Amino acid sequence: MCEQCTGVLETTSHIFSECPGATELWTRVGITEDSIPHRHHWLIGTALPLPQEVHLDVIMLILRQIWKAHNALTFDKRATTTREVLQQVLDNLNSWQGCYKKQKTQLRAWREY
């Protein structure tokens, strides 16, 4: 059962798109719950007007940070705000810039979005 949502089964769809924290995060990024594919979370955000060259990497990073926030609540009883999750995503994007020399402009577009 979800630590945050009383009586709700903890599925991948719930963790990554239906749980209030995930829903708020996606909304802040400009993605509505209606546009989130429940079986293929890595397709989230494909309709955004952002470079596709780094799309998968950025979405997977966001999913990873959602997972880490979920685990912090489940195992450490430490709630993480949406702002903190997004800050972790931005910090990771900054740290990984050196790995994306050819896609630096595309990665910056996602970061600034």
Side-chain angles (χ1 to χ4, degrees), residues 22-54:
T23 301
E24 181 183 343
L25 184 137
W26 293 120
T27 300
R28 288 184 78 171
V29 174
I31 298 170
T32 62
E33 189 175 343
D34 300 346
S35 66
I36 298 175
H38 293 284
R39 296 193 51 74
H40 306 291
H41 290 97
W42 56 89
L43 297 176
I44 293 172
T46 53
L48 292 175
L50 291 165
Q52 292 298 306
E53 295 89 344
V54 293

Short mmCIF file of all heavy atoms in Angstrom, two decimals, residues 22-54:
data_model
loop_
_atom_site.label_atom_id
_atom_site.label_comp_id
_atom_site.label_asym_id
_atom_site.label_seq_id
_atom_site.Cartn_x
_atom_site.Cartn_y
_atom_site.Cartn_z
N ALA A 22 3.67 12.77 -7.58
CA ALA A 22 4.03 12.59 -8.99
C ALA A 22 3.14 13.45 -9.88
O ALA A 22 3.63 14.09 -10.82
CB ALA A 22 3.91 11.12 -9.38
N THR A 23 1.85 13.48 -9.58
CA THR A 23 0.92 14.29 -10.37
C THR A 23 1.32 15.77 -10.32
O THR A 23 1.34 16.45 -11.35
CB THR A 23 -0.53 14.12 -9.85
OG1 THR A 23 -0.87 12.74 -9.93
CG2 THR A 23 -1.51 14.93 -10.65
N GLU A 24 1.64 16.25 -9.12
CA GLU A 24 2.05 17.65 -8.98
C GLU A 24 3.34 17.93 -9.75
O GLU A 24 3.48 18.95 -10.41
CB GLU A 24 2.25 17.99 -7.50
CG GLU A 24 2.65 19.43 -7.28
CD GLU A 24 2.92 19.77 -5.82
OE1 GLU A 24 2.50 18.99 -4.94
OE2 GLU A 24 3.55 20.80 -5.57
N LEU A 25 4.29 16.99 -9.68
CA LEU A 25 5.55 17.17 -10.40
C LEU A 25 5.31 17.26 -11.90
O LEU A 25 5.81 18.18 -12.56
CB LEU A 25 6.50 16.02 -10.09
CG LEU A 25 7.88 16.18 -10.72
CD1 LEU A 25 8.95 15.80 -9.73
CD2 LEU A 25 8.00 15.35 -11.97
N TRP A 26 4.55 16.32 -12.46
CA TRP A 26 4.30 16.34 -13.90
C TRP A 26 3.56 17.60 -14.31
O TRP A 26 3.84 18.18 -15.36
CB TRP A 26 3.54 15.09 -14.34
CG TRP A 26 4.35 13.84 -14.20
CD1 TRP A 26 4.05 12.75 -13.42
CD2 TRP A 26 5.61 13.54 -14.82
NE1 TRP A 26 5.04 11.81 -13.53
CE2 TRP A 26 6.01 12.26 -14.38
CE3 TRP A 26 6.44 14.23 -15.69
CZ2 TRP A 26 7.20 11.66 -14.79
CZ3 TRP A 26 7.63 13.64 -16.10
CH2 TRP A 26 8.00 12.37 -15.66
N THR A 27 2.62 18.06 -13.47
CA THR A 27 1.89 19.29 -13.77
C THR A 27 2.85 20.47 -13.81
O THR A 27 2.77 21.32 -14.71
CB THR A 27 0.79 19.54 -12.72
OG1 THR A 27 -0.11 18.42 -12.75
CG2 THR A 27 0.02 20.81 -13.00
N ARG A 28 3.78 20.53 -12.88
CA ARG A 28 4.77 21.63 -12.85
C ARG A 28 5.68 21.59 -14.06
O ARG A 28 6.18 22.62 -14.49
CB ARG A 28 5.58 21.57 -11.57
CG ARG A 28 4.75 22.00 -10.36
CD ARG A 28 5.56 22.05 -9.12
NE ARG A 28 6.36 23.27 -9.11
CZ ARG A 28 7.05 23.67 -8.06
NH1 ARG A 28 7.05 22.96 -6.96
NH2 ARG A 28 7.75 24.78 -8.12
N VAL A 29 5.88 20.42 -14.62
CA VAL A 29 6.71 20.27 -15.82
C VAL A 29 5.89 20.53 -17.09
O VAL A 29 6.43 20.64 -18.17
CB VAL A 29 7.38 18.87 -15.85
CG1 VAL A 29 8.14 18.60 -17.12
CG2 VAL A 29 8.29 18.69 -14.66
N GLY A 30 4.56 20.66 -16.93
CA GLY A 30 3.70 20.95 -18.08
C GLY A 30 3.08 19.73 -18.72
O GLY A 30 2.69 19.76 -19.88
N ILE A 31 3.01 18.65 -17.95
CA ILE A 31 2.44 17.40 -18.46
C ILE A 31 1.20 17.08 -17.65
O ILE A 31 1.26 17.00 -16.43
CB ILE A 31 3.47 16.25 -18.37
CG1 ILE A 31 4.69 16.58 -19.23
CG2 ILE A 31 2.85 14.93 -18.77
CD1 ILE A 31 5.85 15.65 -19.05
N THR A 32 0.09 16.89 -18.35
CA THR A 32 -1.16 16.57 -17.66
C THR A 32 -1.26 15.06 -17.45
O THR A 32 -0.68 14.28 -18.20
CB THR A 32 -2.38 17.04 -18.46
OG1 THR A 32 -2.40 16.35 -19.71
CG2 THR A 32 -2.35 18.53 -18.69
N GLU A 33 -2.02 14.69 -16.44
CA GLU A 33 -2.20 13.27 -16.12
C GLU A 33 -2.81 12.51 -17.30
O GLU A 33 -2.50 11.34 -17.53
CB GLU A 33 -3.08 13.11 -14.89
CG GLU A 33 -3.13 11.70 -14.36
CD GLU A 33 -3.91 11.59 -13.07
OE1 GLU A 33 -4.14 12.60 -12.41
OE2 GLU A 33 -4.28 10.44 -12.74
N ASP A 34 -3.65 13.19 -18.07
CA ASP A 34 -4.29 12.55 -19.22
C ASP A 34 -3.29 12.11 -20.29
O ASP A 34 -3.53 11.18 -21.03
CB ASP A 34 -5.29 13.50 -19.89
CG ASP A 34 -6.40 13.93 -18.93
OD1 ASP A 34 -6.56 13.30 -17.87
OD2 ASP A 34 -7.09 14.90 -19.25
N SER A 35 -2.14 12.80 -20.35
CA SER A 35 -1.16 12.50 -21.40
C SER A 35 -0.08 11.53 -20.95
O SER A 35 0.87 11.29 -21.68
CB SER A 35 -0.52 13.80 -21.89
OG SER A 35 0.24 14.39 -20.86
N ILE A 36 -0.21 10.97 -19.76
CA ILE A 36 0.81 10.05 -19.25
C ILE A 36 0.44 8.62 -19.62
O ILE A 36 -0.59 8.11 -19.19
CB ILE A 36 0.96 10.18 -17.72
CG1 ILE A 36 1.42 11.59 -17.37
CG2 ILE A 36 1.92 9.14 -17.18
CD1 ILE A 36 1.49 11.87 -15.88
N PRO A 37 1.26 7.97 -20.45
CA PRO A 37 1.00 6.57 -20.79
C PRO A 37 1.32 5.67 -19.59
O PRO A 37 2.45 5.67 -19.10
CB PRO A 37 1.94 6.30 -21.96
CG PRO A 37 3.03 7.30 -21.81
CD PRO A 37 2.46 8.48 -21.09
N HIS A 38 0.35 4.95 -19.10
CA HIS A 38 0.54 4.18 -17.87
C HIS A 38 1.42 2.95 -18.05
O HIS A 38 2.01 2.48 -17.09
CB HIS A 38 -0.81 3.79 -17.28
CG HIS A 38 -1.56 4.98 -16.79
ND1 HIS A 38 -1.25 5.61 -15.62
CD2 HIS A 38 -2.59 5.68 -17.33
CE1 HIS A 38 -2.04 6.64 -15.44
NE2 HIS A 38 -2.87 6.70 -16.46
N ARG A 39 1.51 2.41 -19.22
CA ARG A 39 2.32 1.21 -19.39
C ARG A 39 3.74 1.53 -19.85
O ARG A 39 4.63 0.73 -19.71
CB ARG A 39 1.65 0.25 -20.37
CG ARG A 39 0.32 -0.23 -19.79
CD ARG A 39 -0.35 -1.37 -20.45
NE ARG A 39 0.28 -2.60 -20.75
CZ ARG A 39 0.61 -3.56 -19.87
NH1 ARG A 39 0.45 -3.37 -18.60
NH2 ARG A 39 1.11 -4.69 -20.29
N HIS A 40 3.95 2.69 -20.42
CA HIS A 40 5.26 3.07 -20.94
C HIS A 40 5.63 4.46 -20.45
O HIS A 40 5.57 5.44 -21.19
CB HIS A 40 5.26 3.03 -22.47
CG HIS A 40 4.81 1.72 -23.03
ND1 HIS A 40 5.55 0.57 -22.91
CD2 HIS A 40 3.69 1.36 -23.68
CE1 HIS A 40 4.91 -0.43 -23.48
NE2 HIS A 40 3.77 0.02 -23.95
N HIS A 41 6.03 4.55 -19.21
CA HIS A 41 6.30 5.84 -18.59
C HIS A 41 7.40 6.62 -19.29
O HIS A 41 7.44 7.84 -19.21
CB HIS A 41 6.64 5.65 -17.11
CG HIS A 41 5.47 5.23 -16.30
ND1 HIS A 41 5.22 3.91 -15.99
CD2 HIS A 41 4.46 5.94 -15.77
CE1 HIS A 41 4.11 3.84 -15.30
NE2 HIS A 41 3.62 5.04 -15.15
N TRP A 42 8.29 5.95 -19.98
CA TRP A 42 9.38 6.64 -20.66
C TRP A 42 8.87 7.47 -21.85
O TRP A 42 9.59 8.28 -22.39
CB TRP A 42 10.46 5.67 -21.12
CG TRP A 42 9.94 4.57 -21.99
CD1 TRP A 42 9.82 4.60 -23.34
CD2 TRP A 42 9.45 3.30 -21.57
NE1 TRP A 42 9.29 3.41 -23.80
CE2 TRP A 42 9.05 2.59 -22.73
CE3 TRP A 42 9.31 2.67 -20.33
CZ2 TRP A 42 8.52 1.31 -22.67
CZ3 TRP A 42 8.78 1.40 -20.30
CH2 TRP A 42 8.39 0.74 -21.45
N LEU A 43 7.61 7.29 -22.24
CA LEU A 43 7.03 8.08 -23.32
C LEU A 43 6.41 9.38 -22.81
O LEU A 43 5.91 10.18 -23.60
CB LEU A 43 5.98 7.27 -24.07
CG LEU A 43 6.49 6.02 -24.79
CD1 LEU A 43 5.35 5.24 -25.41
CD2 LEU A 43 7.53 6.40 -25.83
N ILE A 44 6.45 9.60 -21.51
CA ILE A 44 5.91 10.83 -20.94
C ILE A 44 6.63 12.02 -21.56
O ILE A 44 7.85 12.03 -21.68
CB ILE A 44 6.10 10.84 -19.40
CG1 ILE A 44 5.24 9.75 -18.76
CG2 ILE A 44 5.79 12.20 -18.81
CD1 ILE A 44 5.50 9.54 -17.28
N GLY A 45 5.86 13.02 -21.93
CA GLY A 45 6.44 14.26 -22.41
C GLY A 45 6.85 14.30 -23.86
O GLY A 45 7.45 15.28 -24.30
N THR A 46 6.52 13.29 -24.63
CA THR A 46 6.93 13.30 -26.04
C THR A 46 6.25 14.41 -26.82
O THR A 46 6.75 14.82 -27.86
CB THR A 46 6.66 11.94 -26.72
OG1 THR A 46 5.30 11.58 -26.51
CG2 THR A 46 7.58 10.86 -26.18
N ALA A 47 5.12 14.91 -26.33
CA ALA A 47 4.41 15.99 -27.03
C ALA A 47 4.94 17.38 -26.66
O ALA A 47 4.53 18.36 -27.26
CB ALA A 47 2.92 15.91 -26.72
N LEU A 48 5.85 17.45 -25.70
CA LEU A 48 6.39 18.75 -25.32
C LEU A 48 7.24 19.32 -26.45
O LEU A 48 7.90 18.56 -27.18
CB LEU A 48 7.25 18.63 -24.06
CG LEU A 48 6.53 18.29 -22.76
CD1 LEU A 48 7.54 18.08 -21.64
CD2 LEU A 48 5.54 19.36 -22.39
N PRO A 49 7.26 20.63 -26.59
CA PRO A 49 8.08 21.25 -27.65
C PRO A 49 9.55 21.34 -27.24
O PRO A 49 10.13 22.41 -27.18
CB PRO A 49 7.44 22.64 -27.79
CG PRO A 49 6.95 22.95 -26.42
CD PRO A 49 6.50 21.62 -25.84
N LEU A 50 10.12 20.19 -26.95
CA LEU A 50 11.51 20.13 -26.48
C LEU A 50 12.29 19.12 -27.33
O LEU A 50 11.70 18.22 -27.92
CB LEU A 50 11.54 19.73 -25.01
CG LEU A 50 11.01 20.79 -24.05
CD1 LEU A 50 10.73 20.19 -22.69
CD2 LEU A 50 11.97 21.95 -23.94
N PRO A 51 13.61 19.26 -27.37
CA PRO A 51 14.44 18.37 -28.18
C PRO A 51 14.29 16.90 -27.80
O PRO A 51 14.36 16.54 -26.63
CB PRO A 51 15.87 18.85 -27.90
CG PRO A 51 15.73 20.22 -27.38
CD PRO A 51 14.41 20.28 -26.68
N GLN A 52 14.07 16.08 -28.81
CA GLN A 52 13.88 14.65 -28.59
C GLN A 52 15.21 13.91 -28.38
O GLN A 52 15.21 12.80 -27.86
CB GLN A 52 13.13 14.04 -29.78
CG GLN A 52 11.69 14.50 -29.88
CD GLN A 52 10.88 14.11 -28.66
OE1 GLN A 52 10.82 12.95 -28.29
NE2 GLN A 52 10.26 15.08 -28.01
N GLU A 53 16.33 14.53 -28.74
CA GLU A 53 17.62 13.85 -28.63
C GLU A 53 17.96 13.43 -27.20
O GLU A 53 18.67 12.45 -27.01
CB GLU A 53 18.76 14.75 -29.15
CG GLU A 53 18.68 15.05 -30.62
CD GLU A 53 17.84 16.30 -30.93
OE1 GLU A 53 17.09 16.76 -30.06
OE2 GLU A 53 17.95 16.79 -32.06
N VAL A 54 17.47 14.17 -26.22
CA VAL A 54 17.78 13.84 -24.83
C VAL A 54 16.51 13.53 -24.03
O VAL A 54 16.56 13.39 -22.81
CB VAL A 54 18.59 14.97 -24.15
CG1 VAL A 54 19.97 15.09 -24.75
CG2 VAL A 54 17.84 16.29 -24.20
#
